[in-house]
Amino acid sequence: MLLQGGEWKENMERRSFGRTDMLVSILGFGGAEIGRSDQKTVDQLLHSALDAGLNMIDTAECYGNSEELIGNALAGRRDDYYLFTKCGHASGLEGADWDPVVLAQSIDRSLQRLNVDHVDVIHLHSCSEQILRQGDVIEVLERAKRDGKTRYIGYSGDSSDALYALQTGVFDSFETSLNIADQEAIDLTLPVAIEQGLGIIAKRPVANVAWKNESMGKEEYAYPYWVRLQELQYPFLSDVQKDVETALRFALSVPGVATAIVGTANPDRWAQNAGLLANGPLNEGAYQQIRNRWNEVAGPDWVGKV
């Protein structure tokens, strides 16, 4: 069932985050793009976003200086937002990615950078099924939860790796790629996450706005989305602002999704994106047209973008 107009309006600013005790803003802030920004810009961006209603910030240990910039910007406002980070990449620490000792050190470093004694969720960051099966990384997160370093633990990733992660039954939160050019999760993993009562986060909800480019090099991050969109040929992709609105509304109309994280280094962008949601969810017909077109065109290799 899609959310209907009245229900959307009632929950426009907050949605229940699965079985947790959190009510999250339907748009969250993704911290990847601020990793190379200056502190003044980040201060303005985050304070204006919080003042406009945002209450969820998602970052990671490998997003440049993102954690430090957030920690510096929001000292004194910890009660105003939920803070999520990710772990799994050594990112400057001595040792290998996913080494349990390095992973524990990374979590402690994240808390120091963020200037907090705990976060609300720590996600394993695109951890493979092979690593998950060894069990060590899950034990590190569970210990961090017992020690009060995080209130909840989660998995961030896609495709078969994500499916295995969910099947372990240990996570409280699930972050996955979901947009008009990336819909594998709707059938593969979201039903499992919903059944388990997990908080669900849609990442890349606007598909990096790849359709605005007439051409794109294979080396560019959004290239897979650009290729898919050339084949999907959605009829509504004609005006960038209107298209972004439709893309956001689609991601937030998918059953189970609590919030969609949008990254930006533009201090005005979050409020602009929030304003695009004034019309509520897509109606059933518009939603199904996008889903039907995906089902008609998507190839077997159109998996979730890690």
Side-chain angles (χ1 to χ4, degrees):
M1 289 291 291
L2 289 176
L3 293 173
Q4 299 303 311
E7 185 179 356
W8 179 284
K9 291 177 182 178
E10 181 181 351
N11 295 287
M12 182 62 182
E13 295 185 354
R14 303 284 186 268
R15 285 185 183 175
S16 295
F17 194 65
R19 64 188 180 214
T20 76
D21 62 358
M22 293 183 280
L23 292 174
V24 296
S25 52
I26 59 172
L27 283 186
F29 177 78
E33 293 190 34
I34 64 168
R36 296 182 180 178
S37 297
D38 62 274
Q39 190 66 59
K40 182 178 179 181
T41 298
V42 175
D43 290 351
Q44 181 182 356
L45 192 160
L46 291 180
H47 284 284
S48 63
L50 262 61
D51 292 342
L54 175 139
N55 79 342
M56 192 278 271
I57 296 173
D58 175 88
T59 186
E61 86 290 37
C62 60
Y63 290 168
N65 293 327
S66 177
E67 289 182 321
E68 291 171 311
L69 291 165
I70 292 168
N72 291 336
L74 298 181
R77 294 196 68 170
R78 184 63 183 91
D79 294 336
D80 293 343
Y81 65 99
Y82 297 116
L83 182 57
F84 300 177
T85 194
K86 308 184 195 74
C87 64
H89 305 291
S91 299
L93 295 173
E94 292 188 9
D97 292 353
W98 304 114
D99 178 275
V101 174
V102 175
L103 191 64
Q105 292 173 346
S106 174
I107 290 172
D108 289 340
R109 184 181 64 176
S110 289
L111 296 180
Q112 293 171 358
R113 287 173 164 179
L114 290 163
N115 196 24
V116 296
D117 59 7
H118 75 280
V119 293
D120 294 287
V121 183
I122 295 176
H123 290 95
L124 288 178
H125 199 177
S126 301
C127 185
S128 71
E129 178 179 342
Q130 179 182 4
I131 296 294
L132 288 167
R133 285 185 179 276
Q134 296 173 12
D136 293 345
V137 296
I138 293 176
E139 291 176 5
V140 172
L141 258 66
E142 290 178 324
R143 184 165 64 249
K145 186 175 180 180
R146 289 195 302 269
D147 291 345
K149 296 177 182 180
T150 183
R151 296 173 61 218
Y152 301 102
I153 62 175
Y155 179 86
S156 175
D158 303 277
S159 299
S160 59
D161 291 333
L163 181 60
Y164 178 79
L166 298 181
Q167 289 170 341
T168 66
V170 302
F171 297 110
D172 306 299
S173 172
F174 177 46
E175 182 174 325
T176 196
S177 298
L178 179 62
N179 56 61
I180 59 173
D182 200 340
Q183 299 180 40
E184 180 191 46
I186 296 176
D187 297 314
L188 180 67
T189 51
L190 291 192
V192 180
I194 292 169
E195 182 179 2
Q196 294 181 4
L198 305 192
I200 298 172
I201 307 161
K203 60 181 177 179
R204 306 188 184 98
V206 294
N208 301 107
V209 198
W211 63 83
K212 71 178 180 180
N213 299 281
E214 292 187 4
S215 63
M216 185 174 288
K218 292 183 179 180
E219 73 284 355
E220 295 192 45
Y221 184 78
Y223 180 74
Y225 286 165
W226 185 85
V227 170
R228 294 178 188 182
L229 289 165
Q230 303 309 300
E231 296 189 45
L232 286 163
Q233 289 293 307
Y234 290 121
F236 60 83
L237 294 182
S238 57
D239 174 83
V240 172
Q241 181 167 328
K242 187 68 175 177
D243 303 341
V244 170
E245 175 186 335
T246 300
L248 272 177
R249 291 170 67 197
F250 171 79
L252 285 164
S253 296
V254 175
V257 171
T259 185
I261 52 173
V262 179
T264 181
N266 181 339
D268 299 321
R269 186 59 50 79
W270 187 85
Q272 293 171 358
N273 287 335
L276 296 177
L277 299 174
N279 290 325
L282 295 180
N283 61 50
E284 187 78 31
Y287 177 84
Q288 286 302 327
Q289 284 181 351
I290 293 172
R291 290 290 291 131
N292 292 342
R293 184 59 180 163
W294 171 269
N295 289 329
E296 291 170 2
V297 176
D301 59 339
W302 286 21
V303 297
K305 182 168 168 43
V306 175

